[in-house]
Amino acid sequence: MKFLHTSDWHLGRAFHRVNLLGAQAAFVDHLVETVREHEVDAVLVAGDIYDRAVPPLPAVELYDRALHRLAELGVPTVMISGNHDSARRLGVGARLIDRAGIHLRTDPAGCADPVVLADVHGEVALYGLPYLEPALVKEQFEAEKVSHEAVLGAAMDRIRADLATRPPGTRSVVLAHAFVTGGQASDSERDITVGGVEAVPASVFDGVDYAALGHLHGCQTINERVRYSGSPLAYSFSEVHHRKTMWLIELGAEGELVSAERIDTPVPRALARLRGPLEHLLEDPAYAVHEDAWVEATLTDPVRPEDPMARLAARFPHTLSLAFDPEGRTEGPGASYAQRLKGRSDQEIAEDFVAHVRGGGHADEAERAVLQGAFDAVRAEDSRQETHR
């Protein structure tokens, strides 16, 4: 049985103010053609269909067209909600849409209620496990603590229990939206750190034949049976070296992975990260290959050049980001706020603030626990408000 595994469409998202709706529509065209060309048996979309809880109308219209086109193909599609989606909004009409072969799994309570397909070798159970906010589902899943690992583990226990009731030899696939240990992140994913534990072990998915993951934007293999498809488009310059693809997965008669092929997705425009003195970027012929790319330029001149953006745009008309990092300068009092915070979590920034107001005394273990609890509570409250909005 063949599955096309994709995720993180982020419909409605822009790239440094560049509207990507046309590129996202081209991806949907490519998706539909791939399903037809490769005679795919089911499409798996592992979360973050939209970029935000209340997406713009053109994004909703594109999503609607995508659903109609997939339904017209007669190929079952299973979708879950991600941490960017509003699960309740995405799940509106789910039971009705089920009749068209589009299966939306946005309610955590239904994680052990699979979509069951069949071929000559028997049944395949497709379980949709939407993004789980630990503070909101801990009690529902009777998890031991508020953490991604605990709630995902409890949900997977329910899935394995259901699988055990099915006919012997039933193959199984799980869709999930999470940060799994070993995955490589990029700048464009929203942090889902909770309780100080941001990643879950791949072993949480033991017992199923394939785990189709979403959340991380780079296509990657955690192990043979646990994979990220990545986003179909680049959403930050940190993805400059990504090859954007979907996974074409084929499961054999015994649930073995017969093949895993990467299907390239359309690239609207190449990305380039350029660094150096302004005159060097403007004159070096080696940079000619990037003249039509979306460019992030970091200038290293000791003194800020005059009118740098306009001069860069004369050679690189699609320059979208400009930064300054003079060679030889060490981060100090003159460093920008963004430079000083780069790569630091909310927790680390708060602990630094404690040290600052004390004149050097660091937060102790109890204080760190209080800070982490506060961040968890705010994140949970944001999710609750979104759920009832």
Side-chain angles (χ1 to χ4, degrees):
M1 189 171 285
K2 289 183 182 178
F3 304 101
L4 189 63
H5 167 199
T6 178
S7 73
D8 295 272
W9 294 2
H10 288 277
L11 300 181
R13 187 164 186 159
F15 185 83
H16 289 266
R17 302 177 305 282
V18 174
N19 189 319
L20 291 179
L21 198 66
Q24 292 171 334
F27 161 68
V28 171
D29 291 343
H30 176 69
L31 171 73
V32 171
E33 183 55 37
T34 300
V35 171
R36 183 183 294 113
E37 177 185 344
H38 291 273
E39 299 181 336
V40 170
D41 295 301
V43 176
L44 315 177
V45 189
D48 282 354
I49 311 323
Y50 291 122
D51 187 57
R52 55 183 186 266
V54 185
L57 182 58
V60 177
E61 292 171 340
L62 177 56
Y63 168 72
D64 182 60
R65 292 198 299 273
L67 293 192
H68 277 84
R69 294 177 68 184
L70 288 169
E72 287 168 1
L73 290 176
V75 176
T77 298
V78 183
M79 294 180 160
I80 62 171
S81 50
N83 60 300
H84 279 248
D85 299 309
S86 167
R88 291 191 64 178
R89 286 190 177 90
L90 189 65
V92 168
R95 291 184 181 179
L96 184 62
I97 296 172
D98 261 354
R99 300 178 186 178
I102 306 294
H103 307 282
L104 298 173
R105 294 295 185 262
T106 62
D107 184 355
C111 68
D113 179 20
V115 176
V116 180
L117 306 180
D119 62 11
V120 295
H121 304 296
E123 294 185 342
V124 180
L126 308 178
Y127 296 92
L129 184 52
Y131 169 69
L132 303 176
E133 178 60 54
L136 297 183
V137 300
K138 174 183 179 295
E139 299 302 324
Q140 178 181 349
F141 284 103
E142 300 178 345
E144 295 181 356
K145 58 182 179 178
V146 180
S147 74
H148 281 291
E149 182 175 355
V151 297
L152 271 174
M156 283 301 304
D157 286 344
R158 292 190 180 186
I159 288 172
R160 284 186 284 264
D162 177 82
L163 188 58
T165 68
R166 298 192 174 273
T170 298
R171 290 158 288 170
S172 56
V173 173
V174 169
L175 289 76
H177 197 85
F179 190 174
V180 174
T181 302
Q184 298 298 310
S186 60
D187 292 344
S188 53
E189 299 114 11
R190 182 180 296 164
D191 179 33
I192 56 175
T193 302
V194 173
V197 180
E198 67 175 20
V200 301
S203 60
V204 77
F205 299 107
D206 285 353
V208 297
D209 295 314
Y210 184 73
L213 300 183
H215 180 58
L216 300 185
H217 288 183
C219 180
Q220 49 202 296
T221 301
I222 304 301
N223 61 49
E224 185 183 55
R225 296 179 181 275
V226 180
R227 299 171 186 257
Y228 283 98
S229 66
S231 59
L233 298 172
Y235 292 117
S236 75
F237 279 104
S238 66
E239 300 170 55
V240 63
H241 298 302
H242 286 188
R243 174 187 164 198
K244 295 300 183 180
T245 60
M246 302 177 285
W247 281 114
L248 182 63
I249 300 294
E250 185 172 0
L251 283 185
E254 305 297 326
E256 74 277 15
L257 196 66
V258 174
S259 64
E261 178 186 353
R262 293 180 69 180
I263 305 293
D264 291 287
T265 56
V267 178
R269 192 179 297 278
L271 305 184
R273 274 183 151 172
L274 309 183
R275 180 184 177 89
L278 177 59
E279 294 302 327
H280 178 67
L281 299 185
L282 296 178
E283 297 173 5
D284 191 336
Y287 293 126
V289 68
H290 302 305
E291 289 177 357
D292 194 44
W294 280 324
V295 168
E296 176 191 73
T298 300
L299 302 185
T300 60
D301 303 77
V303 177
R304 186 181 296 245
E306 182 178 351
D307 204 12
M309 191 61 162
R311 294 166 67 188
L312 276 170
R315 184 178 189 187
F316 308 104
H318 304 288
T319 301
L320 300 181
S321 177
L322 177 61
F324 298 91
D325 186 18
E327 290 287 358
R329 186 183 74 179
T330 58
E331 186 176 309
S336 72
Y337 184 70
Q339 288 171 324
R340 284 183 278 123
L341 298 187
K342 186 176 181 180
R344 304 188 68 75
S345 67
D346 290 343
Q347 177 82 10
E348 290 170 329
I349 294 168
E351 290 177 15
D352 287 347
F353 176 75
V354 171
H356 172 72
V357 296
R358 284 181 174 165
H362 296 289
D364 59 28
E365 183 175 346
E367 291 167 330
R368 288 196 296 271
V370 169
L371 289 171
Q372 186 62 63
F375 287 123
D376 290 350
V378 168
R379 186 180 291 107
E381 182 59 27
D382 285 347
S383 296
R384 288 191 186 95
Q385 290 181 1
E386 175 56 43
T387 298
H388 294 92
R389 193 174 292 168

